[in-house]
Amino acid sequence: MLHYSANDARTRDGELVLIDAGCELDGYASDITRTYPVNGRFTPPQAALYELVLAAQAAALAAVAPGRRYHEIHDAALAVLAQGMLDLGLLERKLAGTAQDVIDNKSYLRFYMHGTGHWLGMDVHDVGAYRETAVAGKPWRPLQAGMTLTVEPGIYVRPAPGVPEQFWNIGVRIEDDVLVTPAGHAVLSDAAPKSVAEIEALMRAAATGRPA
């Protein structure tokens, strides 16, 4: 699920824990998401979905630069996720078609039902339009140096007919805070471990008390 709010489940061996959190400093907010394996190691299906989300985030980050339109961030992530859904068998090619068909028909919404980010500043979801409301047709707003936003693709697999069982009940989201710079962008939360190897090393260190 996108946001778990019951807050009463125990973590169990073989499951993932998704932590969406942040802090405030000098009046400014942060918003970071990481996904961890409870037992310290990703299973192959978990790792496959994690790597897909990580690749989607890399594509989205590459779209963050002055002059690029806001929607290009989401479009870049969605293109990677749609292809991955087909490659991993979450969507059947004979029914879903190509990655572009998946996007056009919105069949990806079963597994990815939110945007790829939001403005970030003095609030976690900061104020500001995403479209140029005063311009005819309301085009998506161009990015400018100094803007700060999150980039957070994810994937959420509920049990369902036709969905490979090894992926059931796996949810992954990876979120970073990003500053638009004159030359492109800077990932402000880049020091937080993010790759599969980094996450597993961090979990080993937590279990043994030794540095990662």
Side-chain angles (χ1 to χ4, degrees):
M1 62 181 67
L2 179 57
H3 288 118
Y4 173 68
S5 57
N7 297 321
D8 61 358
R10 290 182 177 273
T11 58
R12 295 181 297 185
D13 184 43
E15 293 183 335
L16 299 176
V17 173
L18 188 158
I19 301 175
D20 188 344
C23 64
E24 292 187 358
L25 178 66
D26 296 332
Y28 289 90
S30 62
D31 189 14
I32 303 169
T33 301
R34 292 292 187 266
T35 306
Y36 300 92
V38 172
N39 64 11
R41 292 190 64 82
F42 291 93
T43 66
Q46 290 169 351
L49 290 182
Y50 191 96
E51 293 286 7
L52 173 59
V53 174
L54 194 60
Q57 195 202 38
L61 288 170
V64 179
R68 302 289 294 269
R69 297 280 176 174
Y70 182 82
H71 73 93
E72 294 182 54
I73 302 169
H74 179 69
D75 290 350
L78 188 54
V80 174
L81 290 171
Q83 186 62 56
M85 291 173 193
L86 293 170
D87 293 342
L88 294 174
L90 295 175
L91 295 171
E92 297 183 51
R93 292 181 188 275
K94 63 182 180 181
L95 299 176
T98 66
Q100 190 59 53
D101 292 330
V102 168
I103 294 169
D104 293 342
N105 298 330
K106 300 187 185 302
S107 51
Y108 65 87
L109 287 172
R110 294 177 62 188
F111 308 109
Y112 183 50
M113 65 293 294
H114 62 82
T116 306
H118 53 79
W119 301 133
L120 182 69
M122 297 182 77
D123 201 350
V124 174
H125 286 249
D126 212 15
V127 298
Y130 293 92
R131 291 180 179 269
E132 296 184 276
T133 55
V135 178
K138 298 182 179 180
W140 289 96
R141 191 171 176 181
L143 300 177
Q144 297 174 275
M147 287 179 168
T148 310
L149 61 148
T150 67
V151 176
E152 51 177 306
I155 197 162
Y156 317 87
V157 185
R158 297 178 177 88
V163 177
E165 189 171 350
Q166 67 264 31
F167 295 121
W168 287 8
N169 297 312
I170 298 176
V172 175
R173 184 164 67 253
I174 304 169
E175 177 183 23
D176 279 299
D177 301 341
V178 183
L179 171 68
V180 183
T181 66
H185 67 269
V187 181
L188 302 178
S189 50
D190 200 41
K194 185 164 60 175
S195 71
V196 166
E198 289 171 338
I199 294 292
E200 291 184 344
L202 185 67
M203 298 296 286
R204 286 194 301 273
T208 63
R210 297 174 181 174

